[in-house]
Amino acid sequence: MTDNIKRQLEFLESRKHREYRRNLTETELGEILPQLYNKDISYMKRATLALKLFLEYETPVILEDTKIHGLRTIIDFPEIYAPGEMDEIKKEHYVHEKGKVTNVVWDIENVLAEGLEGRRTRLMNGKKKDGEFVECVMETIDFTEAFWDRYAKALAEAGREEEGKNLSRIIRYGAKTMVEAFQLFRMLHFTLWGTSCYHNTVGRFDRWAYPYYVADKNKGIKDEEALEVIEDFFLSFNRDSDLYYSLAWGDNGQSLVLGGILPDGTNGVNELTYLALTASKELRQIDPKINLRVDKNTPAELFEAGTELTKIGLGFPQYSNDDVVIPCLEYWGYKKEDARNYAIAACWEFIIPKISLDIPNIGGTPIAGIVNDVIRNKLKACKNTEDLFEYVKEAIYNKTREMTENVRNLYMEPSPYVSMLMADCLENGADMTEGMVYNNYGFHGTGLSCAADQIAAIDSLMFKQKLFDAERLLNGLESNFEKDAELKYMLRNQGDKMGRDESANEIGNRLLNVFADSLEGIKNERGGIFRAGTGSAMYYVWHSENLGATADGREAFDYFPANFSPSLFLTKSGPISVLIGFSPESLLRASNGGPMTFELHDMVFKNEDSVKKVANLVRAYILNGGHQLQINAVNREKMIKAQTEPEKHHDLIVRVWGWSGHFVELDRCYQNQIIKRVEFDV
């Protein structure tokens, strides 16, 4: 790490950059709100105006050491909807989250190469020469360039006139070097956040940045110099990340993909893959969040390089298996070259860059809750496990049918700026909210191991061993086991468990296939399909905190494991057994995203050969057909201390669900769930 990067890192960790932040004054809000709430103009024009005003009220800040400029100063900016307007929209429409375009990867390669004037040319050569969308995009290009000209002027005033000239040039005409490409990306990324489009991903970094790396290498740049430029770029993601709040601090979607098969079928791993991993290791920051695409042919050294990040406690890289994900995407109807080009959304959902408006997290199907309801209402009518499973199947179908109907008549806020960055929108003269090449929706399947373990416990203990009858089980569930501790013990410790027992693994596989079957053939109103997945996102808290006791021995309101993970009270199982249990063949049709989330005690890495061992464990999961994996190196005692002395543990990073965050900044419910997770040794 160079002295320059060390100074930037110290400045970032001192939080001194936050001193530039400010809230809008009452006077400023009095100027802004009447313009945004003007009911005489469309929402598309309001969205354009909101971005224009945001940039006008922003103040350029030049930090001394960085080459990658752009620091946000305004803490919060108002929405375009007057009080009551969104309520009226919701009366007629389904509104996903905040109704924004989000979780997209824009056309990074082309935009960086041609700049905003290149985008203007595409628009003017397109099918439409006028109209509201064309007008809004033209205005957006004008005021975006004007804003970054203000940054150029600030650079000149700071004695860095040549940098300022370059900044004004590249925003208009594109980049030629790595520094220019990263600066242009930062400018466009900064502006993207200004649109209120949250969860802005970074795409396939070692693909889109590689031409600039090669050009610089041809001019004599050394890898040590390239690494410094990459680290400068990576630090820029962390200067504003505290403002990009979705459901928790750190959940900001700045997700970067490395490696993987390219659209032409060749392998995309290159020198930048390793340089990016090195940069992340040296900086130890939560952003950008690294996702590593791998397959059966990935060499051991790449797994080991990834494991070095796990070792220092970043909670990433997250691994995605091309051998499973690409066939699943093709099964769902994505073209081969598009499936091969997949990137990662905010957490772990698979999306296609530049041509898709998939909503991969449109809802969570409460699999564990469905099974619990069936057990409570139908168990007495069941003679065997197959009878129970048929009721579960019917209930899952009913629930997903209900959910697919509930997300119809979707409202999405128009987004001329994001559309300007995507493929085809300019040529077609249409906002991306009117539809892209892919418009699919994804449902998370939450609490899958809890669901499987409930059925497995009844199968193994009640129907096979006859250790209790339905009446006793139902009474235990109703009373939260208060009068039957023996029953709770049996269910928790003697019942079959997914990740340990073959019968429970097969039940989990069947449940996942049923979930996929229940969505098969259903089209959404935008012509897309519904994708089944194994993620949980925040639902592992939401779907559990109001759920009573379950037949796996879980007490009422206890949390589920995150994502595709074993029970929080799994015993007598090792990491290999867990990885085998969580790599079922059903993933080939249920890979919307949702990793096997695996906790290793950080003492594992005290051994000399620990990196190789953990890397081999990851590779074993990939070879066994697992689709996605994330590993936390955690220490329960350290996390408990951090709850009582947060001021001493600001640097403690953990994997939450699909993102990493600072432990002390998390809500207590997420802290407690992470503390309860099962830790393994290797």
Side-chain angles (χ1 to χ4, degrees):
M1 184 184 297
T2 66
D3 290 340
N4 177 285
I5 297 298
K6 287 179 182 177
R7 288 194 300 272
Q8 289 193 57
L9 190 55
E10 289 170 2
F11 180 76
L12 177 70
E13 292 179 342
S14 73
R15 306 294 191 262
K16 290 181 180 179
H17 61 288
R18 297 183 183 179
E19 295 174 5
Y20 294 98
R21 304 271 170 75
R22 70 182 186 90
N23 289 302
L24 292 169
T25 66
E26 290 298 320
T27 299
E28 289 171 329
L29 287 171
E31 297 166 349
I32 292 168
L33 293 179
Q35 298 180 69
L36 293 184
Y37 295 169
N38 183 358
K39 295 186 178 182
D40 292 331
I41 61 175
S42 68
Y43 288 134
M44 182 179 291
K45 288 187 175 180
R46 285 201 225 177
T48 304
L49 177 61
L51 178 58
K52 181 175 185 288
L53 292 171
F54 169 77
L55 294 177
E56 286 179 352
Y57 282 87
E58 266 291 320
T59 303
V61 174
I62 307 301
L63 301 178
E64 185 175 348
D65 294 305
T66 183
K67 297 176 182 177
I68 310 300
H69 304 286
L71 177 70
R72 182 167 158 180
T73 61
I74 297 175
I75 294 174
D76 198 16
F77 201 81
E79 296 283 348
I80 66 173
Y81 306 99
E85 281 190 309
M86 182 53 75
D87 292 334
E88 289 301 312
I89 290 172
K90 289 180 177 179
K91 288 180 180 179
E92 302 294 332
H93 299 272
Y94 173 75
V95 178
H96 175 60
E97 294 183 353
K98 300 177 182 179
K100 310 286 186 181
V101 168
T102 186
N103 272 331
V104 295
V105 179
W106 41 282
D107 189 4
I108 301 173
E109 292 95 334
N110 283 317
V111 179
L112 294 187
E114 64 193 30
L116 296 190
E117 288 305 312
R119 308 311 282 178
R120 193 194 302 271
T121 298
R122 286 178 183 262
L123 180 66
M124 297 316 297
N125 290 336
K127 296 177 181 178
K128 296 182 180 179
K129 310 298 182 187
D130 52 23
E132 186 175 66
F133 175 76
V134 173
E135 177 186 335
C136 287
V137 171
M138 292 289 278
E139 184 181 357
T140 297
I141 292 173
D142 289 340
F143 63 65
T144 301
E145 291 177 348
F147 172 70
W148 291 105
D149 283 344
R150 288 170 55 207
Y151 252 93
K153 181 180 178 182
L155 277 165
E157 291 172 350
R160 301 164 72 171
E161 186 172 357
E162 194 60 33
E163 281 187 69
K165 289 180 180 178
N166 284 337
L167 193 150
S168 286
R169 174 180 57 81
I170 63 176
I171 190 66
R172 289 172 170 81
Y173 304 113
K176 296 179 181 178
T177 67
M178 272 205 301
V179 169
E180 291 179 356
F182 296 162
Q183 177 62 78
L184 181 51
F185 185 99
R186 175 60 182 162
M187 290 190 282
L188 298 171
H189 195 65
F190 178 101
T191 311
L192 195 59
W193 284 110
T195 67
S196 296
C197 172
Y198 55 98
H199 286 165
N200 295 315
T201 62
V202 189
R204 302 187 68 177
F205 172 77
D206 53 1
R207 183 184 181 201
W208 61 256
Y210 193 64
Y212 303 100
Y213 168 78
V214 171
D216 283 358
K217 289 287 284 186
N218 290 338
K219 293 178 181 178
I221 190 174
K222 298 177 181 179
D223 274 349
E224 308 90 81
E225 297 170 289
L227 178 62
E228 180 179 14
V229 174
I230 294 168
E231 290 183 341
D232 200 328
F233 180 52
F234 280 13
L235 284 172
S236 72
F237 288 92
N238 295 276
R239 296 191 186 108
D240 303 331
S241 59
D242 58 303
L243 297 178
Y244 308 149
Y245 180 93
S246 178
L247 291 163
W249 298 115
D251 180 22
N252 53 44
Q254 297 185 131
S255 189
L256 176 150
V257 177
L258 298 173
I261 303 300
L262 298 176
D264 63 4
T266 59
N267 196 299
V269 175
N270 57 43
E271 300 95 316
L272 277 183
T273 312
Y274 289 94
L275 285 172
L277 291 171
T278 300
S280 188
K281 177 184 174 182
E282 290 190 353
L283 296 174
R284 298 188 178 210
Q285 298 298 306
I286 64 171
D287 286 304
K289 298 167 178 69
I290 306 294
N291 296 270
L292 192 56
R293 285 180 48 178
V294 294
D295 57 44
K296 61 180 180 295
N297 297 316
T298 298
E301 55 261 34
L302 187 55
F303 286 109
E304 290 172 13
T307 303
E308 290 286 352
L309 301 190
T310 303
K311 179 180 178 179
I312 62 175
L314 289 176
F316 53 71
Q318 178 173 252
Y319 300 89
S320 297
N321 186 357
D322 282 3
D323 294 330
V324 176
V325 176
I326 293 172
C328 184
L329 291 171
E330 290 187 74
Y331 174 81
W332 281 330
Y334 294 86
K335 292 181 180 179
K336 183 182 290 290
E337 59 269 28
D338 295 333
R340 287 171 170 170
N341 198 35
Y342 77 85
I344 306 294
C347 293
W348 17 247
E349 302 94 337
F350 305 114
I351 56 175
I352 310 302
K354 67 187 180 182
I355 57 173
S356 72
L357 186 55
D358 292 340
I359 306 178
N361 60 340
I362 204 163
T365 305
I367 306 295
I370 292 170
V371 171
N372 180 56
D373 286 343
V374 169
I375 289 170
R376 288 172 180 258
N377 294 301
K378 299 292 186 180
L379 183 59
K380 287 185 177 180
C382 297
K383 296 179 181 178
N384 50 47
T385 306
E386 285 304 311
D387 288 348
L388 177 61
F389 209 93
E390 283 303 309
Y391 282 121
V392 168
K393 179 179 178 180
E394 180 184 10
I396 290 175
Y397 270 71
N398 290 340
K399 183 62 177 179
T400 56
R401 292 293 191 277
E402 173 192 328
M403 292 178 67
T404 58
E405 286 301 313
N406 287 343
V407 297
R408 298 199 180 275
N409 202 20
L410 179 76
Y411 170 81
M412 295 187 76
E413 181 181 304
S415 186
Y417 177 79
V418 187
S419 301
M420 182 261 293
L421 299 178
M422 301 294 282
D424 300 334
C425 293
L426 301 180
E427 290 82 352
N428 294 329
D431 193 86
M432 65 186 300
T433 56
E434 296 183 28
M436 297 291 286
V437 174
Y438 301 110
N439 303 278
N440 301 320
Y441 299 162
F443 283 143
H444 303 313
T446 70
L448 188 78
S449 63
C450 176
D453 290 353
Q454 290 180 68
I455 298 173
I458 290 172
D459 176 63
S460 60
L461 302 178
M462 192 180 98
F463 286 126
K464 290 179 180 175
Q465 299 182 53
K466 303 187 185 304
L467 296 179
F468 53 80
D469 58 15
E471 188 73 28
R472 181 180 176 186
L473 175 62
L474 295 174
N475 286 337
L477 296 179
E478 187 65 29
S479 67
N480 197 28
F481 308 115
E482 289 181 3
K483 299 179 181 179
D484 201 339
E486 180 188 35
L487 176 64
K488 182 176 75 172
Y489 180 85
M490 282 192 289
L491 295 171
R492 280 196 176 195
N493 299 287
Q494 296 173 235
D496 287 354
K497 292 282 186 289
M498 193 173 176
R500 184 184 68 197
D501 303 295
E502 187 174 346
S503 61
N505 294 344
E506 180 51 33
I507 289 171
N509 185 46
R510 288 184 66 185
L511 281 171
L512 199 51
N513 267 319
V514 167
F515 183 33
D517 288 340
S518 73
L519 297 171
E520 193 80 39
I522 301 177
K523 293 283 188 179
N524 64 39
E525 64 187 357
R526 303 169 76 84
I529 63 164
F530 289 88
R531 311 184 333 186
T534 54
S536 67
M538 58 284 168
Y539 296 108
Y540 72 87
V541 171
W542 292 0
H543 283 174
S544 60
E545 60 187 0
N546 294 313
L547 184 66
T550 48
D552 58 339
R554 171 189 155 276
E555 292 183 359
F557 320 130
D558 275 359
Y559 300 130
F560 298 146
N563 302 317
F564 194 43
S565 306
S567 165
L568 294 178
F569 37 81
L570 178 70
T571 59
K572 300 178 183 178
S573 183
I576 296 298
S577 295
V578 170
L579 295 181
I580 289 172
F582 285 83
S583 52
E585 55 81 21
S586 51
L587 292 171
L588 288 166
R589 51 199 299 265
S591 285
N592 180 63
M596 201 271 124
T597 303
F598 204 73
E599 316 298 323
L600 292 176
H601 195 288
D602 63 2
M603 290 299 292
V604 165
F605 290 105
K606 301 300 181 184
N607 299 325
E608 188 175 335
D609 60 349
S610 58
V611 169
K612 289 184 181 295
K613 282 187 175 181
V614 174
N616 285 333
L617 188 69
V618 175
R619 187 168 184 268
Y621 184 63
I622 300 304
L623 293 177
N624 198 59
H627 73 314
Q628 212 168 19
L629 176 68
Q630 60 187 21
I631 301 178
N632 245 344
V634 296
N635 185 307
R636 182 172 287 120
E637 292 74 23
K638 187 183 294 185
M639 290 187 286
I640 292 172
K641 287 181 180 178
Q643 285 188 319
T644 57
E645 299 178 309
E647 69 281 357
K648 296 181 181 180
H649 296 86
H650 283 300
D651 59 346
L652 180 58
I653 295 173
V654 293
R655 194 72 172 177
V656 187
W657 58 78
W659 48 277
S660 296
H662 293 283
F663 182 83
V664 298
E665 294 181 350
L666 301 176
D667 290 344
R668 183 57 68 102
C669 63
Y670 299 121
Q671 291 180 350
N672 289 341
Q673 197 275 349
I674 295 168
I675 288 171
K676 287 184 178 181
R677 293 178 188 173
V678 179
E679 296 175 6
F680 290 96
D681 199 348
V682 292

